[in-house]
């Protein structure tokens, strides 16, 4: 039985990236060593920051442009959008397709998407 999931995010500086993910998306470092930082939110969303020496990013390239390799579902789209803007994070266009979504980049150029999941009535 699956109980949770995690994603690997390549970053240039583990400490700097961990501070950014804490400030912007409320992740807390649970474990840190030279191989990875295990970060989680209060409700169990989990990421693993891994060192990237060759400026590797996690988005996918399509003929229509970049697509985030990962995203996070949110229960308060407007609040997180405002938090991103207040912290100087440049956000992309807001789309409304089975729930609102937008994308942005972390400090290392990894494209991230947030999505107001249509399965929940959050508006």
């Amino acid at each position: 039985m699956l109980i949770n999931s995690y994603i690997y995010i390549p970053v240039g500086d583990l400490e700097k990236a961990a501070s950014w993910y804490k400030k912007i998306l409320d992740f807390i470092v649970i474990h840190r060593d030279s191989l990875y930082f295990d970060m989680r939110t209060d409700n169990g969303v989990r990421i693993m920051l891994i060192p990237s020496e060759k400026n590797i990013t996690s988005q996918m390239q399509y003929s229509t442009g970049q697509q985030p390799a990962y995203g996070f579902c949110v229960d308060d789209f407007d609040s997180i959008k405002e938090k991103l803007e207040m912290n100087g994070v440049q956000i992309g266009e807001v789309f409304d397709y089975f729930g609102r979504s937008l994308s942005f980049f972390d400090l290392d150029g990894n494209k991230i998407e947030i999505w107001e999941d249509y399965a929940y009535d959050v508006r």
Side-chain angles (χ1 to χ4, degrees):
M1 167 178 37
L2 298 176
I3 61 166
N4 206 332
S5 66
Y6 59 91
I7 54 174
Y8 287 110
I9 301 174
V11 299
D13 182 316
L14 290 170
E15 291 290 344
K16 192 174 179 182
S19 293
W20 188 88
Y21 275 90
K22 178 178 178 158
K23 179 180 181 181
I24 302 300
L25 297 173
D26 299 321
F27 281 94
I28 306 270
V29 175
I30 302 300
H31 172 81
R32 71 179 71 215
D33 63 31
S34 62
L35 299 176
Y36 71 95
F37 280 19
D38 180 352
M39 299 189 75
R40 301 178 195 196
T41 62
D42 287 341
N43 63 342
V45 177
R46 186 175 183 187
I47 61 175
M48 308 287 259
L49 301 181
I50 56 172
S52 170
E53 297 174 5
K54 297 182 180 182
N55 198 26
I56 297 171
T57 55
S58 63
Q59 58 266 12
M60 300 173 282
Q61 284 295 111
Y62 289 97
S63 60
T64 56
Q66 292 178 331
Q67 175 68 32
Y70 59 93
F72 303 105
C73 294
V74 298
D75 64 357
D76 189 343
F77 183 87
D78 295 319
S79 287
I80 192 143
K81 180 179 179 280
E82 182 179 329
K83 184 175 183 181
L84 291 166
E85 292 169 335
M86 288 178 55
N87 282 286
V89 176
Q90 185 176 0
I91 62 171
E93 182 181 348
V94 174
F95 293 95
D96 194 345
Y97 182 73
F98 293 101
R100 293 179 293 170
S101 67
L102 62 81
S103 60
F104 58 95
F105 292 92
D106 72 3
L107 295 176
D108 292 278
N110 294 297
K111 193 169 189 177
I112 303 167
E113 183 174 67
I114 59 166
W115 180 37
E116 180 181 63
D117 191 344
Y118 67 92
Y120 299 97
D121 183 20
V122 294
R123 282 193 246 182

